[in-house]
Each structure stands twice: as C-alpha cells, then as structure tokens.
C-alpha cells in the first residue's frame, strides 16, 4: 500500500481525537490497545500507518473498530474498571449504589430508634 498523504494524516489525527473524546477515552488507553509504549500522537499515528501499509484505510478502520468493540464490551461486562487508570479514583456506579443503599439503611435505623 502507498503512504498516507499529509492531508489524510491530519484528518486521521483529527478523527482519532474526536473519536476518543466521544467515547470518553484518552490516548493512553488507545496506546494500550495498540500495544505501544508511547502515548504521544506521533507514536499512535506510526502504528496506524503500519495498519495502512497492510491494507489501506480499511485496515486502519478495521483495527479501530476492534478496539472500540473491546472498549464497549469491557464497559458492558464491567470486566475492566477504567477508573483505575484515572489520576483520581472515582467510585463506579455499582459502588455508588451500594454506598447509597448502605446510607439509606443507616438513616432508617437511626430514625426508627
């Protein structure tokens, strides 16, 4: 396959940034999925260029679709807590529900005395 043109590369970078933002992911998470060490956009684009050389834009899209499906499956099954990677550790929805339920029981216990 031929190389990406400068215009195609700029469009791909713009797409990747919008795509990550729309799904609530970041470059670090994409780099992890691509099995690359650097989270910088040039390293990500280099990996995408490898896909492009193997099968054009179809190969790039196919690999990004697989990554997106993996992310969506992890969100649905809860098998991977994305918040562990956050600089701040937020509670997941299930944890919040449990905490609210526990608080609710304590309130009822205290008010029934």
């Amino acid at each position: 396959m031929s190389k990406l043109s400068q215009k195609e590369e700029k469009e791909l970078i713009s797409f990747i940034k919008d795509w990550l933002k729309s799904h609530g992911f970041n470059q670090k998470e994409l780099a992890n999925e691509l099995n690359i060490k650097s989270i910088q956009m040039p390293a990500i684009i280099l990996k995408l260029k490898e896909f492009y050389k193997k099968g054009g834009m179809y190969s790039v899209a196919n690999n990004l679709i697989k990554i997106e499906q993996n992310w969506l499956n992890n969100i649905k099954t809860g098998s991977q807590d994305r918040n562990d990677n956050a600089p701040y550790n937020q509670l997941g929805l299930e944890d919040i529900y449990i905490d609210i339920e526990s608080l609710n029981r304590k309130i009822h216990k205290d008010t029934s005395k």
Side-chain angles (χ1 to χ4, degrees):
M1 278 278 126
S2 62
K3 293 182 178 182
L4 281 172
S5 70
Q6 285 185 335
K7 181 182 177 189
E8 289 172 323
E9 186 174 328
K10 286 180 183 180
E11 290 173 353
L12 186 56
I13 290 170
S14 179
F15 170 78
I16 293 296
K17 288 179 180 180
D18 290 341
W19 179 65
L20 289 172
K21 191 177 203 179
S22 72
H23 288 293
F25 288 94
N26 58 43
Q27 288 179 204
K28 180 181 179 184
E29 291 161 316
L30 178 58
N32 287 339
E33 291 290 328
L34 293 171
N35 295 317
I36 57 176
K37 292 181 181 182
S38 175
I39 65 168
Q40 300 298 316
M41 190 56 74
I44 292 170
I45 292 299
L46 187 62
K47 184 69 173 188
L48 297 178
K49 284 181 178 180
E50 290 177 23
F51 296 144
Y52 187 84
K53 285 180 184 177
K54 293 178 183 177
M57 200 53 80
Y58 174 81
S59 180
V60 173
N62 194 37
N63 281 283
L64 293 177
I65 288 168
K66 287 178 186 176
I67 290 169
E68 184 171 333
Q69 288 173 334
N70 185 35
W71 284 340
L72 294 174
N73 287 336
N74 284 337
I75 289 170
K76 287 180 185 174
T77 62
S79 64
Q80 178 186 32
D81 186 8
R82 290 182 46 235
N83 291 327
D84 287 345
N85 296 327
Y88 47 89
N89 191 7
Q90 296 179 343
L91 293 174
L93 291 177
E94 186 175 312
D95 296 328
I96 292 170
Y97 176 77
I98 291 169
D99 287 348
I100 291 172
E101 196 63 34
S102 173
L103 182 60
N104 193 23
R105 282 193 299 270
K106 287 178 184 177
I107 291 170
H108 283 290
K109 182 179 176 183
D110 290 345
T111 57
S112 65
K113 287 183 180 180

